[in-house]
Amino acid sequence: FGGLYFPVLKDMLLLITMLLRLYLSIIIFASNVFAQQAGLQVPTPQGPVVGTLLNPSVRQFLGIPYATAQRWEAPTLPSIRSAPFSATNFSDSCLQALNPSSVEFLRLSGLDNSTIFVPESENCLTLNIWTPTIVRRQNAAVLFWVYGGGVQFGTVRSRFL
């Protein structure tokens, strides 16, 4: 009896694993279909980009690389992607030389520490895009945000909507 138990259990685990893989494949396929129908997946020269719905009328694409560069090298276009780029999170901000005066100015402007002190890195050549959903009555503007601040303050992680 003991010799039959383990092969049956092994077969059951294999079947469960296959069903889980199938289930995950269906979920991924369905989310890609939804993203395309909602206009959340858009083509770019570097490959498809998938964003999110900020609200029913605004699509949001975050952290899209517009260039890549090594330290002290000229920027170049990012490599072409075959898989969709998930533009659902803010990227790291460029390095900033925050001083006490800048921090106070930002606090007086209504920002809190979670918005002032953000992850920074040299891999920061990204932009954010907010655009109306594809279901609209008229043409509408598109907002894209590129950080600024003269290496003093300013971050690609700011939400100005």
Side-chain angles (χ1 to χ4, degrees):
F1 177 73
L4 285 176
Y5 179 73
F6 288 110
V8 170
L9 183 60
K10 183 179 175 184
D11 289 343
M12 287 179 61
L13 287 174
L14 181 63
L15 179 62
I16 291 171
T17 302
M18 290 172 55
L19 288 173
L20 283 173
R21 285 183 181 167
L22 176 64
Y23 177 71
L24 289 174
S25 297
I26 291 169
I27 289 175
I28 290 169
F29 175 77
S31 66
N32 284 339
V33 168
F34 172 75
Q36 289 173 351
Q37 288 176 345
L40 296 177
Q41 181 168 317
V42 295
T44 72
Q46 274 66 44
V49 173
V50 177
T52 58
L53 282 176
L54 183 61
N55 62 48
S57 61
V58 177
R59 296 178 294 166
Q60 170 177 267
F61 302 89
L62 303 175
I64 302 170
Y66 63 84
T68 184
Q70 297 299 317
R71 183 179 276 193
W72 313 117
E73 296 291 327
T76 59
L77 288 175
S79 59
I80 295 175
R81 300 176 297 274
S82 57
F85 177 78
S86 178
T88 56
N89 295 306
F90 287 109
S91 63
D92 288 350
S93 292
C94 290
L95 303 173
Q96 301 291 331
L98 286 174
N99 59 47
S101 299
S102 298
V103 171
E104 185 61 26
F105 170 78
L106 293 170
R107 285 188 178 135
L108 290 172
S109 298
L111 301 179
D112 61 9
N113 283 348
S114 68
T115 310
I116 297 171
F117 302 104
V118 297
E120 298 176 338
S121 78
E122 291 182 358
N123 183 16
C124 62
L125 301 177
T126 63
L127 58 85
N128 302 318
I129 300 172
W130 290 270
T131 180
T133 56
I134 58 175
V135 181
R136 57 183 183 269
R137 295 183 192 164
Q138 66 218 18
N139 292 333
V142 172
L143 170 69
F144 71 95
W145 176 255
V146 179
Y147 54 86
V151 193
Q152 295 299 312
F153 57 84
T155 173
V156 74
R157 292 175 152 271
S158 298
R159 252 187 231 272
F160 291 101
L161 296 176

Short mmCIF file of all heavy atoms in Angstrom, two decimals, residues 107-158:
data_model
loop_
_atom_site.label_atom_id
_atom_site.label_comp_id
_atom_site.label_asym_id
_atom_site.label_seq_id
_atom_site.Cartn_x
_atom_site.Cartn_y
_atom_site.Cartn_z
N ARG A 107 8.70 71.83 2.20
CA ARG A 107 7.68 71.62 3.24
C ARG A 107 6.65 72.73 3.22
O ARG A 107 5.45 72.49 3.36
CB ARG A 107 8.34 71.51 4.61
CG ARG A 107 9.02 70.17 4.81
CD ARG A 107 9.51 69.99 6.23
NE ARG A 107 10.10 68.68 6.38
CZ ARG A 107 11.25 68.45 6.99
NH1 ARG A 107 11.92 69.44 7.55
NH2 ARG A 107 11.72 67.23 7.07
N LEU A 108 7.11 73.99 3.06
CA LEU A 108 6.18 75.11 2.98
C LEU A 108 5.30 75.02 1.72
O LEU A 108 4.21 75.58 1.68
CB LEU A 108 6.94 76.44 3.00
CG LEU A 108 7.59 76.80 4.34
CD1 LEU A 108 8.48 78.03 4.19
CD2 LEU A 108 6.53 77.02 5.41
N SER A 109 5.80 74.33 0.70
CA SER A 109 5.03 74.14 -0.54
C SER A 109 3.98 73.04 -0.40
O SER A 109 3.23 72.78 -1.33
CB SER A 109 5.97 73.77 -1.69
OG SER A 109 6.88 74.81 -1.92
N GLY A 110 3.95 72.39 0.76
CA GLY A 110 2.94 71.38 1.01
C GLY A 110 3.41 69.94 0.89
O GLY A 110 2.60 69.02 0.99
N LEU A 111 4.70 69.73 0.67
CA LEU A 111 5.21 68.36 0.56
C LEU A 111 5.60 67.83 1.94
O LEU A 111 5.97 68.59 2.82
CB LEU A 111 6.43 68.32 -0.38
CG LEU A 111 6.18 68.80 -1.80
CD1 LEU A 111 7.46 68.73 -2.61
CD2 LEU A 111 5.08 68.01 -2.47
N ASP A 112 5.50 66.53 2.09
CA ASP A 112 5.93 65.91 3.35
C ASP A 112 7.19 65.09 3.10
O ASP A 112 7.67 64.99 1.98
CB ASP A 112 4.82 65.06 3.97
CG ASP A 112 4.39 63.91 3.07
OD1 ASP A 112 5.05 63.66 2.04
OD2 ASP A 112 3.39 63.26 3.40
N ASN A 113 7.76 64.53 4.16
CA ASN A 113 9.02 63.81 4.05
C ASN A 113 8.97 62.66 3.04
O ASN A 113 9.96 62.37 2.38
CB ASN A 113 9.47 63.27 5.42
CG ASN A 113 10.05 64.37 6.28
OD1 ASN A 113 10.34 65.46 5.81
ND2 ASN A 113 10.23 64.07 7.55
N SER A 114 7.80 62.00 2.91
CA SER A 114 7.71 60.88 1.97
C SER A 114 7.81 61.34 0.53
O SER A 114 8.16 60.56 -0.35
CB SER A 114 6.41 60.10 2.19
OG SER A 114 5.30 60.90 1.82
N THR A 115 7.54 62.60 0.27
CA THR A 115 7.65 63.16 -1.07
C THR A 115 8.99 63.86 -1.27
O THR A 115 9.47 63.97 -2.39
CB THR A 115 6.50 64.15 -1.33
OG1 THR A 115 5.27 63.52 -0.97
CG2 THR A 115 6.43 64.54 -2.78
N ILE A 116 9.59 64.34 -0.21
CA ILE A 116 10.87 65.06 -0.31
C ILE A 116 12.03 64.09 -0.36
O ILE A 116 12.91 64.20 -1.22
CB ILE A 116 11.04 66.03 0.88
CG1 ILE A 116 9.94 67.10 0.85
CG2 ILE A 116 12.43 66.67 0.85
CD1 ILE A 116 9.88 67.96 2.10
N PHE A 117 12.06 63.13 0.56
CA PHE A 117 13.16 62.18 0.65
C PHE A 117 12.74 60.88 -0.04
O PHE A 117 12.09 60.03 0.57
CB PHE A 117 13.54 61.94 2.11
CG PHE A 117 13.91 63.21 2.82
CD1 PHE A 117 13.04 63.81 3.71
CD2 PHE A 117 15.14 63.80 2.58
CE1 PHE A 117 13.38 64.98 4.36
CE2 PHE A 117 15.50 64.97 3.22
CZ PHE A 117 14.61 65.57 4.12
N VAL A 118 13.09 60.74 -1.32
CA VAL A 118 12.67 59.61 -2.13
C VAL A 118 13.89 58.81 -2.60
O VAL A 118 15.01 59.34 -2.55
CB VAL A 118 11.85 60.10 -3.35
CG1 VAL A 118 10.57 60.78 -2.90
CG2 VAL A 118 12.67 61.02 -4.22
N PRO A 119 13.68 57.57 -3.04
CA PRO A 119 14.82 56.80 -3.55
C PRO A 119 15.50 57.52 -4.72
O PRO A 119 14.84 58.04 -5.61
CB PRO A 119 14.19 55.49 -4.02
CG PRO A 119 12.92 55.38 -3.25
CD PRO A 119 12.45 56.79 -3.05
N GLU A 120 16.82 57.58 -4.67
CA GLU A 120 17.60 58.26 -5.71
C GLU A 120 18.62 57.29 -6.30
O GLU A 120 19.10 56.40 -5.61
CB GLU A 120 18.36 59.45 -5.12
CG GLU A 120 17.49 60.52 -4.53
CD GLU A 120 18.30 61.63 -3.87
OE1 GLU A 120 19.47 61.40 -3.50
OE2 GLU A 120 17.76 62.73 -3.73
N SER A 121 18.93 57.48 -7.57
CA SER A 121 20.00 56.71 -8.21
C SER A 121 20.40 57.41 -9.49
O SER A 121 19.75 58.38 -9.92
CB SER A 121 19.55 55.27 -8.50
OG SER A 121 18.75 55.22 -9.65
N GLU A 122 21.47 56.94 -10.10
CA GLU A 122 21.89 57.50 -11.38
C GLU A 122 21.06 56.93 -12.53
O GLU A 122 21.13 57.43 -13.63
CB GLU A 122 23.38 57.22 -11.59
CG GLU A 122 24.24 58.02 -10.64
CD GLU A 122 25.72 57.80 -10.85
OE1 GLU A 122 26.10 56.99 -11.73
OE2 GLU A 122 26.51 58.45 -10.15
N ASN A 123 20.29 55.90 -12.26
CA ASN A 123 19.40 55.33 -13.27
C ASN A 123 18.06 56.05 -13.16
O ASN A 123 17.08 55.52 -12.63
CB ASN A 123 19.24 53.83 -13.04
CG ASN A 123 18.39 53.18 -14.09
OD1 ASN A 123 18.14 53.76 -15.15
ND2 ASN A 123 17.92 51.99 -13.81
N CYS A 124 18.01 57.29 -13.67
CA CYS A 124 16.83 58.12 -13.43
C CYS A 124 16.31 58.81 -14.69
O CYS A 124 15.52 59.75 -14.58
CB CYS A 124 17.16 59.16 -12.37
SG CYS A 124 18.48 60.28 -12.86
N LEU A 125 16.73 58.38 -15.85
CA LEU A 125 16.31 59.04 -17.09
C LEU A 125 14.96 58.48 -17.54
O LEU A 125 14.84 57.72 -18.49
CB LEU A 125 17.39 58.86 -18.16
CG LEU A 125 18.76 59.41 -17.79
CD1 LEU A 125 19.77 59.12 -18.89
CD2 LEU A 125 18.69 60.89 -17.49
N THR A 126 13.94 58.86 -16.80
CA THR A 126 12.58 58.38 -17.04
C THR A 126 11.60 59.54 -17.03
O THR A 126 11.93 60.63 -16.56
CB THR A 126 12.16 57.35 -15.98
OG1 THR A 126 12.13 58.00 -14.71
CG2 THR A 126 13.09 56.16 -15.93
N LEU A 127 10.42 59.29 -17.55
CA LEU A 127 9.37 60.30 -17.48
C LEU A 127 8.05 59.63 -17.14
O LEU A 127 7.91 58.41 -17.24
CB LEU A 127 9.27 61.09 -18.78
CG LEU A 127 9.02 60.35 -20.09
CD1 LEU A 127 7.55 60.11 -20.32
CD2 LEU A 127 9.59 61.17 -21.22
N ASN A 128 7.10 60.44 -16.74
CA ASN A 128 5.76 59.99 -16.41
C ASN A 128 4.79 60.65 -17.37
O ASN A 128 4.98 61.81 -17.74
CB ASN A 128 5.38 60.37 -14.97
CG ASN A 128 6.35 59.80 -13.96
OD1 ASN A 128 6.78 58.67 -14.07
ND2 ASN A 128 6.71 60.60 -12.99
N ILE A 129 3.76 59.92 -17.76
CA ILE A 129 2.77 60.45 -18.70
C ILE A 129 1.38 60.21 -18.14
O ILE A 129 1.06 59.11 -17.69
CB ILE A 129 2.89 59.76 -20.09
CG1 ILE A 129 4.28 59.99 -20.67
CG2 ILE A 129 1.80 60.26 -21.03
CD1 ILE A 129 4.56 59.20 -21.92
N TRP A 130 0.57 61.25 -18.17
CA TRP A 130 -0.84 61.14 -17.84
C TRP A 130 -1.62 61.58 -19.07
O TRP A 130 -1.34 62.63 -19.65
CB TRP A 130 -1.20 62.04 -16.65
CG TRP A 130 -0.64 61.57 -15.36
CD1 TRP A 130 -1.24 60.71 -14.48
CD2 TRP A 130 0.62 61.91 -14.78
NE1 TRP A 130 -0.42 60.50 -13.40
CE2 TRP A 130 0.73 61.23 -13.56
CE3 TRP A 130 1.68 62.73 -15.17
CZ2 TRP A 130 1.83 61.33 -12.73
CZ3 TRP A 130 2.78 62.84 -14.36
CH2 TRP A 130 2.85 62.15 -13.16
N THR A 131 -2.59 60.79 -19.45
CA THR A 131 -3.38 61.08 -20.64
C THR A 131 -4.82 60.65 -20.41
O THR A 131 -5.08 59.74 -19.62
CB THR A 131 -2.78 60.36 -21.88
OG1 THR A 131 -3.56 60.67 -23.03
CG2 THR A 131 -2.74 58.87 -21.68
N PRO A 132 -5.77 61.31 -21.08
CA PRO A 132 -7.15 60.87 -20.93
C PRO A 132 -7.34 59.44 -21.43
O PRO A 132 -6.56 58.95 -22.24
CB PRO A 132 -7.93 61.84 -21.83
CG PRO A 132 -7.03 63.01 -22.01
CD PRO A 132 -5.64 62.48 -21.93
N THR A 133 -8.37 58.79 -20.93
CA THR A 133 -8.67 57.45 -21.43
C THR A 133 -9.03 57.55 -22.90
O THR A 133 -9.31 58.63 -23.41
CB THR A 133 -9.85 56.82 -20.65
OG1 THR A 133 -10.96 57.70 -20.74
CG2 THR A 133 -9.49 56.57 -19.21
N ILE A 134 -9.01 56.41 -23.57
CA ILE A 134 -9.27 56.45 -25.01
C ILE A 134 -10.74 56.68 -25.32
O ILE A 134 -11.09 56.99 -26.44
CB ILE A 134 -8.76 55.17 -25.70
CG1 ILE A 134 -9.40 53.93 -25.11
CG2 ILE A 134 -7.25 55.09 -25.63
CD1 ILE A 134 -9.04 52.65 -25.84
N VAL A 135 -11.62 56.53 -24.31
CA VAL A 135 -13.03 56.79 -24.50
C VAL A 135 -13.31 58.23 -24.09
O VAL A 135 -13.45 58.53 -22.91
CB VAL A 135 -13.89 55.81 -23.66
CG1 VAL A 135 -15.36 56.06 -23.89
CG2 VAL A 135 -13.52 54.37 -23.99
N ARG A 136 -13.36 59.12 -25.07
CA ARG A 136 -13.63 60.53 -24.78
C ARG A 136 -14.30 61.14 -26.01
O ARG A 136 -14.16 60.66 -27.12
CB ARG A 136 -12.37 61.26 -24.39
CG ARG A 136 -11.28 61.20 -25.43
CD ARG A 136 -10.02 61.90 -24.93
NE ARG A 136 -8.99 61.92 -25.91
CZ ARG A 136 -8.05 61.00 -26.06
NH1 ARG A 136 -8.00 59.99 -25.25
NH2 ARG A 136 -7.15 61.10 -27.01
N ARG A 137 -14.97 62.26 -25.81
CA ARG A 137 -15.73 62.90 -26.88
C ARG A 137 -14.86 63.77 -27.79
O ARG A 137 -15.20 64.01 -28.91
CB ARG A 137 -16.84 63.75 -26.28
CG ARG A 137 -17.87 62.93 -25.57
CD ARG A 137 -18.97 63.82 -25.06
NE ARG A 137 -19.80 63.05 -24.14
CZ ARG A 137 -20.65 63.59 -23.31
NH1 ARG A 137 -20.80 64.89 -23.27
NH2 ARG A 137 -21.36 62.84 -22.51
N GLN A 138 -13.77 64.27 -27.28
CA GLN A 138 -12.96 65.21 -28.06
C GLN A 138 -11.48 64.93 -27.84
O GLN A 138 -11.12 64.19 -26.94
CB GLN A 138 -13.28 66.65 -27.63
CG GLN A 138 -12.84 66.92 -26.20
CD GLN A 138 -13.81 67.79 -25.45
OE1 GLN A 138 -14.94 67.91 -25.86
NE2 GLN A 138 -13.38 68.36 -24.37
N ASN A 139 -10.65 65.56 -28.66
CA ASN A 139 -9.22 65.46 -28.44
C ASN A 139 -8.89 66.17 -27.13
O ASN A 139 -9.54 67.14 -26.76
CB ASN A 139 -8.45 66.11 -29.58
CG ASN A 139 -8.60 65.32 -30.87
OD1 ASN A 139 -8.81 64.11 -30.83
ND2 ASN A 139 -8.48 65.99 -32.00
N ALA A 140 -7.89 65.67 -26.45
CA ALA A 140 -7.53 66.25 -25.16
C ALA A 140 -6.01 66.28 -25.02
O ALA A 140 -5.29 65.58 -25.73
CB ALA A 140 -8.16 65.45 -24.03
N ALA A 141 -5.57 67.06 -24.08
CA ALA A 141 -4.13 67.22 -23.85
C ALA A 141 -3.54 66.00 -23.17
O ALA A 141 -4.23 65.24 -22.51
CB ALA A 141 -3.90 68.46 -22.99
N VAL A 142 -2.24 65.85 -23.35
CA VAL A 142 -1.46 64.82 -22.67
C VAL A 142 -0.43 65.55 -21.83
O VAL A 142 0.21 66.48 -22.29
CB VAL A 142 -0.75 63.90 -23.68
CG1 VAL A 142 0.21 62.97 -22.98
CG2 VAL A 142 -1.77 63.13 -24.49
N LEU A 143 -0.27 65.15 -20.57
CA LEU A 143 0.72 65.75 -19.69
C LEU A 143 1.85 64.76 -19.49
O LEU A 143 1.62 63.60 -19.18
CB LEU A 143 0.10 66.08 -18.33
CG LEU A 143 1.06 66.50 -17.22
CD1 LEU A 143 1.67 67.86 -17.53
CD2 LEU A 143 0.37 66.51 -15.88
N PHE A 144 3.08 65.20 -19.73
CA PHE A 144 4.21 64.37 -19.35
C PHE A 144 5.10 65.20 -18.46
O PHE A 144 5.27 66.39 -18.65
CB PHE A 144 4.95 63.77 -20.56
CG PHE A 144 5.74 64.75 -21.37
CD1 PHE A 144 7.08 64.93 -21.11
CD2 PHE A 144 5.14 65.45 -22.39
CE1 PHE A 144 7.82 65.83 -21.85
CE2 PHE A 144 5.87 66.35 -23.14
CZ PHE A 144 7.22 66.54 -22.88
N TRP A 145 5.63 64.55 -17.43
CA TRP A 145 6.38 65.24 -16.39
C TRP A 145 7.82 64.78 -16.42
O TRP A 145 8.11 63.60 -16.30
CB TRP A 145 5.76 64.96 -15.02
CG TRP A 145 6.54 65.56 -13.91
CD1 TRP A 145 7.35 64.91 -13.03
CD2 TRP A 145 6.61 66.93 -13.55
NE1 TRP A 145 7.92 65.78 -12.16
CE2 TRP A 145 7.48 67.04 -12.45
CE3 TRP A 145 6.02 68.08 -14.06
CZ2 TRP A 145 7.77 68.24 -11.85
CZ3 TRP A 145 6.32 69.28 -13.45
CH2 TRP A 145 7.17 69.35 -12.36
N VAL A 146 8.73 65.73 -16.62
CA VAL A 146 10.15 65.48 -16.53
C VAL A 146 10.64 66.29 -15.34
O VAL A 146 10.33 67.49 -15.23
CB VAL A 146 10.89 65.88 -17.82
CG1 VAL A 146 12.37 65.63 -17.70
CG2 VAL A 146 10.32 65.13 -19.01
N TYR A 147 11.38 65.67 -14.46
CA TYR A 147 11.87 66.30 -13.25
C TYR A 147 12.70 67.55 -13.57
O TYR A 147 13.16 67.75 -14.68
CB TYR A 147 12.72 65.32 -12.44
CG TYR A 147 13.81 64.74 -13.28
CD1 TYR A 147 15.02 65.38 -13.43
CD2 TYR A 147 13.58 63.57 -14.00
CE1 TYR A 147 15.99 64.87 -14.26
CE2 TYR A 147 14.56 63.06 -14.82
CZ TYR A 147 15.76 63.71 -14.95
OH TYR A 147 16.71 63.21 -15.77
N GLY A 148 12.88 68.36 -12.57
CA GLY A 148 13.72 69.55 -12.70
C GLY A 148 14.32 69.89 -11.36
O GLY A 148 14.42 69.04 -10.49
N GLY A 149 14.71 71.10 -11.18
CA GLY A 149 15.19 71.54 -9.89
C GLY A 149 16.66 71.84 -9.82
O GLY A 149 17.19 72.15 -8.75
N GLY A 150 17.38 71.76 -10.92
CA GLY A 150 18.78 72.16 -10.95
C GLY A 150 19.65 71.39 -9.96
O GLY A 150 20.54 71.96 -9.35
N VAL A 151 19.41 70.12 -9.77
CA VAL A 151 20.15 69.25 -8.85
C VAL A 151 20.02 69.74 -7.40
O VAL A 151 20.81 69.40 -6.54
CB VAL A 151 21.63 69.10 -9.28
CG1 VAL A 151 22.32 67.98 -8.53
CG2 VAL A 151 21.74 68.83 -10.77
N GLN A 152 19.03 70.53 -7.12
CA GLN A 152 18.77 71.00 -5.76
C GLN A 152 17.55 70.28 -5.19
O GLN A 152 17.59 69.79 -4.08
CB GLN A 152 18.53 72.52 -5.73
CG GLN A 152 19.75 73.31 -6.14
CD GLN A 152 20.92 73.06 -5.19
OE1 GLN A 152 20.77 73.10 -3.98
NE2 GLN A 152 22.07 72.76 -5.76
N PHE A 153 16.47 70.29 -5.94
CA PHE A 153 15.27 69.54 -5.57
C PHE A 153 14.42 69.38 -6.81
O PHE A 153 14.66 70.00 -7.83
CB PHE A 153 14.49 70.22 -4.44
CG PHE A 153 14.08 71.63 -4.74
CD1 PHE A 153 12.93 71.90 -5.44
CD2 PHE A 153 14.85 72.69 -4.30
CE1 PHE A 153 12.55 73.20 -5.71
CE2 PHE A 153 14.47 73.99 -4.56
CZ PHE A 153 13.31 74.25 -5.27
N GLY A 154 13.45 68.53 -6.72
CA GLY A 154 12.62 68.18 -7.86
C GLY A 154 12.77 66.70 -8.09
O GLY A 154 13.86 66.15 -8.00
N THR A 155 11.70 66.04 -8.39
CA THR A 155 11.73 64.60 -8.51
C THR A 155 10.71 64.11 -9.51
O THR A 155 9.63 64.72 -9.66
CB THR A 155 11.50 63.93 -7.14
OG1 THR A 155 11.38 62.52 -7.33
CG2 THR A 155 10.27 64.44 -6.44
N VAL A 156 11.03 63.06 -10.19
CA VAL A 156 10.11 62.42 -11.13
C VAL A 156 8.98 61.74 -10.38
O VAL A 156 7.97 61.36 -10.95
CB VAL A 156 10.89 61.44 -12.04
CG1 VAL A 156 11.26 60.19 -11.30
CG2 VAL A 156 10.11 61.12 -13.29
N ARG A 157 9.10 61.61 -9.06
CA ARG A 157 8.08 60.94 -8.24
C ARG A 157 6.97 61.87 -7.81
O ARG A 157 6.05 61.46 -7.11
CB ARG A 157 8.75 60.35 -6.99
CG ARG A 157 9.66 59.21 -7.31
CD ARG A 157 10.37 58.75 -6.05
NE ARG A 157 10.72 57.36 -6.10
CZ ARG A 157 9.94 56.36 -5.71
NH1 ARG A 157 8.79 56.56 -5.20
NH2 ARG A 157 10.34 55.12 -5.80
N SER A 158 6.99 63.12 -8.19
CA SER A 158 5.96 64.07 -7.80
C SER A 158 4.67 63.81 -8.57
O SER A 158 4.71 63.57 -9.77
CB SER A 158 6.41 65.51 -8.05
OG SER A 158 7.53 65.80 -7.27
#
